[in-house]
Amino acid sequence: MPEFQAELVRALPGTLREHSVRRGGKTAYRDARRAVTYRELEERTGRLAGHLARLGERVAVHLGNRVEVVEACLGALRAAAVGVMLNTGASESELAHFLDDSRASVVITEVELLPPVLRLVSTRPGTRVVAVGRGAAARDVLDFEQLAGTDPGCPPRDDLGLDDPAWILYTSGTTGESKGVVSTQRSALWSVAAAYVPAYGLEERDQLLWPLPMFHCYAHSPCLLGVVSVGAGAYLLERGGNVAEALSAGLTEEPFTMVAGVPATYRLLLDSLRRTPATMPSALRVCVTAGAPCPGELKTEVGQVLGAPLLDGYGSTETCGRIAVDRLDALDRLDASDRLDAADPVGGLRDRDSSVPGSHPRPACPPSSSGPRGRCRACRSCGGRPGRAPMTRWTSPGVT
């Protein structure tokens, strides 16, 4: 398989425009409600960006597994705003922390999730709410469909640099309070060019079944950035959906070639097939897992039942993607191991953690750097909070 694909590390708006011309009629994303082609994705995110640019510099995306989560994330990027990915299952107090920590000026959520969002926004003047779903206008909030479907009177900015802050994703909080990790397009796309294409063979013809929450880095990296970068397609399965049923149901025009999950996903899939046998798509060529150690016996059983190898990987929110991955072209040395000793490290990541000898941490921005509306004049790495240490940031080569 090819090694590092440098041409994939480029600003996504240009990639979207190219896909719109070359494969505009192809379905990019689909869920149980609707689908969007690459032409529609480019047009809708462009219109959304024009509207969002007037609303603020931080856009919180509080959406489940649906096409709009992709549109919101790309729309914020095209507005040169920072997209803040939020867990729809977060408690109200957790959500309050995320909004305050990120200083989001816009929250894009679902009509069903509006009550806690509206309560929190009521005490945060200037924060606007955009809702997805029927009845948004009746709740005195902005209607997502209207923003994505109407001309804002200006083109999308599309000028966010590769090394400008593009997204904030929060860690799981297993070692303490969840921390916001700032990623750039370059650092986030690094896993696509260094792991998903070389190790998994991700390409335009692939159809990915994605059953995991889209707010997480594991989803943001391959399902959003990977799929869009190569012009592939993906189906976003609702949280708690049956993966075995989805694989056998023919939910997309083309059969699934890839499925992702965590080890528990595959255990549930195998249990479901034991109870209710079903035919798996013959086009399925690879299964990927991460998030927890994957036992060797699970890899073996998945390979036998699904007819496709299960590749393990290790990553973190701080690295914006993968650190080490199993490779399709190295199955002979993986030998169904439940360890990652045989996995290939993803090259090029640099550790900015000040606790690591030889690293180069960013100093805290001085309080005197505060500009209009309290925003830091010097940079955006401090989260717009002068005097505080910068958010965690791991970067790829070329990021200063």
Side-chain angles (χ1 to χ4, degrees), residues 12-13 16 41-54 56 59 61 67-83 85 108 144 147-148 155-160 166-167 224:
L12 286 175
L16 279 175
L41 186 62
E42 194 280 329
E43 293 172 349
R44 286 172 60 84
T45 57
R47 290 191 290 263
L48 182 62
H51 291 290
L52 290 177
R54 300 190 181 103
V59 178
V61 180
V67 170
E68 289 86 356
V69 72
V70 176
E71 295 175 331
C73 191
L74 293 175
L77 177 77
R78 300 188 69 184
V82 175
M85 308 303 293
I108 301 178
F144 181 94
L147 299 187
R157 285 187 52 173
D158 286 346
D159 60 352
L160 196 69
W167 298 287
L224 177 66

Side-chain angles (χ1 to χ4, degrees), residues 25-361:
K26 177 180 178 178
T27 298
Y29 290 89
R30 182 184 295 273
D31 61 28
R33 307 167 191 83
R34 57 178 284 249
V36 64
T37 67
Y38 271 105
R39 182 177 298 109
E40 292 167 338
L41 186 62
E42 194 280 329
E43 293 172 349
R44 286 172 60 84
T45 57
R47 290 191 290 263
L48 182 62
H51 291 290
L52 290 177
R54 300 190 181 103
L55 299 179
E57 298 176 336
R58 301 286 175 91
V59 178
V61 180
H62 185 240
L63 298 169
N65 281 22
R66 55 191 306 156
V67 170
E68 289 86 356
V69 72
V70 176
E71 295 175 331
C73 191
L74 293 175
L77 177 77
R78 300 188 69 184
V82 175
V84 184
M85 308 303 293
L86 299 183
N87 182 1
T88 56
S91 67
E92 193 163 333
S93 61
E94 290 171 328
L95 189 57
H97 163 67
F98 296 146
L99 294 179
D100 291 338
D101 185 68
S102 67
R103 293 202 170 181
S105 51
V106 184
V107 182
I108 301 178
T109 189
E110 301 176 22
V111 168
E112 294 79 7
L113 301 174
L114 273 174
V117 172
L118 291 178
R119 283 194 295 271
L120 293 172
V121 167
S122 68
T123 60
R124 291 161 176 81
T127 304
R128 302 298 301 273
V129 178
V130 179
V132 175
R134 295 181 179 178
R139 301 296 295 271
D140 195 29
V141 297
L142 297 171
D143 188 328
F144 181 94
E145 190 57 36
Q146 184 176 16
L147 299 187
T150 60
D151 183 1
C154 62
R157 285 187 52 173
D158 286 346
D159 60 352
L160 196 69
L162 272 177
D163 299 322
D164 291 331
W167 298 287
I168 296 175
L169 292 94
Y170 281 88
T171 60
S172 59
T174 53
T175 58
E177 188 178 63
S178 292
K179 296 178 288 294
V181 176
V182 180
S183 69
T184 66
Q185 290 183 84
R186 187 190 303 276
S187 59
L189 288 166
W190 204 260
S191 287
V192 179
Y196 309 136
V197 173
Y200 303 157
L202 180 65
E203 61 180 1
E204 178 187 349
R205 291 178 293 180
D206 278 315
Q207 289 291 326
L208 171 64
L209 174 60
W210 194 267
L212 303 174
M214 285 294 291
F215 72 89
H216 197 275
C217 178
Y218 183 18
H220 182 75
S221 187
C223 188
L224 177 66
L225 302 178
V227 168
V228 169
S229 293
V230 302
Y235 186 93
L236 307 181
L237 189 65
E238 290 186 0
R239 204 166 184 172
N242 188 304
V243 177
E245 291 179 359
L247 281 172
S248 62
L251 300 176
T252 57
E253 296 95 333
E254 301 294 331
F256 291 115
T257 61
M258 299 180 68
V259 61
V262 295
T265 306
Y266 293 99
R267 292 192 183 95
L268 290 171
L269 188 159
L270 294 172
D271 287 344
S272 177
L273 290 175
R274 292 188 193 101
R275 293 191 305 270
T276 309
T279 301
M280 295 292 97
S282 59
L284 190 65
R285 64 176 189 82
V286 63
C287 309
V288 296
T289 183
C294 185
E297 61 270 19
L298 181 60
K299 292 182 181 180
T300 299
E301 188 174 3
V302 167
Q304 292 171 345
V305 174
L306 299 187
L310 176 58
L311 302 185
D312 202 356
Y314 172 72
S316 72
T317 307
E318 289 85 352
T319 57
C320 310
R322 293 294 182 272
I323 296 172
V325 292
D326 289 342
R327 293 177 63 103
L328 269 177
D329 56 3
L331 294 178
D332 55 333
R333 63 185 172 88
L334 295 178
D335 192 27
S337 172
D338 56 1
R339 301 171 63 187
L340 277 168
D341 293 356
D344 287 305
V346 175
L349 294 174
R350 290 187 295 152
D351 191 345
R352 302 299 293 266
D353 189 336
S354 60
S355 66
V356 178
S359 65
H360 305 283

